[in-house]
Amino acid sequence: MSKFRQQHMPVMWHEFSSKESDIPVIQASLNDKATLIGRVGLLFLSSGASSYRVRAAMNKLARALNVTINADIGIKSLEYTCIDGDKFCTNALSNVGYGINTYKLHYLEIFCDGFKERVNRYSSEDCHKMLDTIQNSRSNYSFILSVLASGLACGAFAFLLGGGLIDILGAFFAAAAGFAVRKLLIGKHITMFANTSAGVLASCAAYILFVTVVDAVLGTHFDYQAGYICSMLYIIPGFPLITGGIDLAKLDLRSGLERLTYALLVIGVATTTCAFTATIFSFSPGDFTEYSMAYPVLLTLRVIMSFCGVFGFSVIFNSTPKMAATAGLIGAIANSVRLLITDHTNFGVSIAAFCGALTAGLIASAVSKKVGFPRITLTVPSIVIMVPGLLMYKGIYYISQSSFENGLTFLGKALIIVVSLPLGLVFARIFTDRNFRKSS
């Protein structure tokens, strides 16, 4: 059997840095400075940051090193030119894999914010060693805790969508099973199409098995098909959907379109796999029954479940417990605002989604300054729970059944919500961030 070889060859960063370790990085060659700037940009990119944040981080280093930089940023590649007087250095770097790691984003922000004070004291080699520590940092959570977090997030999704106790428990166990399969395959470098399909298949099979066992034990034959889709909502790529929209708002068209394309690929593979499985087992995406409990009780439970859902997704994104709890509180408030608007006004789901995302963005802007977490680690996880995965699945399912009118109706509803969510965050940034507000 031939040895596995990476398509994207790893960069040996220390081989490119100056061997004269006593020279402060401010006095290093342009090649050393450009290499350091590029590595920081690539680390931000590989951790899920938007192109705006990647560029902002590279600019911080460039200004501290007295060089000018121009960068073209995608989702899998980064090309940039550093200029120092009459000297030029152009590099092209490849992002080995796309993932979300808010923990790394947090410490990369700390590295960049304090870089200006380090340029006269540390060499480029010292800086690379600091970046080694961030790059090689382990997950904050064990495999089991990550799996349970995915179950928690999808169980909360099931309640917020109207599911009963069996739907919630089924979504919890099925999502945990599917996420475990997908995480193991990702660890073995299995390609996105395969690991996504395998994860969704595992979730679908686990949900059907759970419902079958419940029916056999309780001797009931209730219809639990409506909760079926909730078992694979952990797969919906909310992060690239939101950051892609933010990039488009800043006219970073290449990055925005690439992120949205990636998100659509994942959604397409996941929902198609789920729809085919549902057809084989004669499952159909039914509607949940409305809750009969008093509205104050329902609202309280929605706040709790919104917190649980956002907290679970934040754990999946490797946020620290404090970061996840902060995002959870923001998400609980923002999602409750969205649901209140949906329940008590005639504004429609798009305006409700916009207001929910705007609320999350405004709160995160105020909170991030006090707790010291990057805004993106709070805003995006807090609104991922608003991404309409159920509508996306229903749209693909009905199209697969040749019911194009129903399918396009659901996809249209999903599209307007997906557009509204990043718009809410964008306007929150416009209101609170002077640099983001400017077009330069």
Side-chain angles (χ1 to χ4, degrees), residues 141-159:
Y141 306 96
S142 66
F143 176 80
I144 296 297
L145 285 177
S146 297
V147 167
L148 292 176
S150 69
L152 176 66
C154 290
F157 248 126
F159 175 84

Side-chain angles (χ1 to χ4, degrees), residues 14 42 49 97 153 156 255 258 367 386 440:
H14 294 272
L42 194 62
S255 177
E258 288 183 10
V367 169
M386 303 180 195
S440 60

Side-chain angles (χ1 to χ4, degrees), residues 169-315:
L169 292 175
F172 176 89
F173 289 112
F179 182 84
V181 169
R182 187 171 189 242
K183 192 171 179 66
L184 288 171
L185 293 179
I186 290 175
K188 294 188 177 296
H189 308 288
I190 302 300
T191 187
M192 182 268 288
F193 272 54
N195 70 55
T196 299
S197 293
V200 172
L201 281 172
S203 292
C204 295
Y207 187 87
I208 293 169
L209 178 62
F210 177 83
V211 170
T212 303
V213 171
V214 168
D215 279 344
V217 172
L218 300 181
T220 60
H221 297 284
F222 291 116
D223 182 8
Y224 301 123
Q225 297 183 33
Y228 174 71
I229 183 57
C230 300
S231 66
M232 49 77 69
L233 290 180
Y234 65 87
I235 213 83
I236 299 300
F239 225 96
L241 276 175
I242 303 303
T243 55
I246 293 172
D247 284 342
L248 290 179
K250 293 297 293 182
L251 295 183
D252 281 322
L253 299 183
R254 175 191 170 190
S255 177
L257 292 174
E258 288 183 10
R259 288 171 191 275
L260 293 180
T261 300
Y262 169 83
L264 290 175
L265 284 173
V266 174
I267 292 168
V269 172
T271 53
T272 302
T273 302
C274 194
F276 285 169
T277 310
T279 301
I280 293 171
F281 289 97
S282 299
F283 265 51
S284 60
D287 295 323
F288 291 108
T289 56
E290 292 188 8
Y291 291 119
S292 58
M293 65 186 74
Y295 194 79
V297 177
L298 177 60
L299 181 60
T300 301
L301 289 175
R302 281 176 169 177
V303 170
I304 294 171
M305 286 299 182
S306 295
F307 174 87
C308 291
V310 175
F311 186 90
F313 278 117
S314 295
V315 169

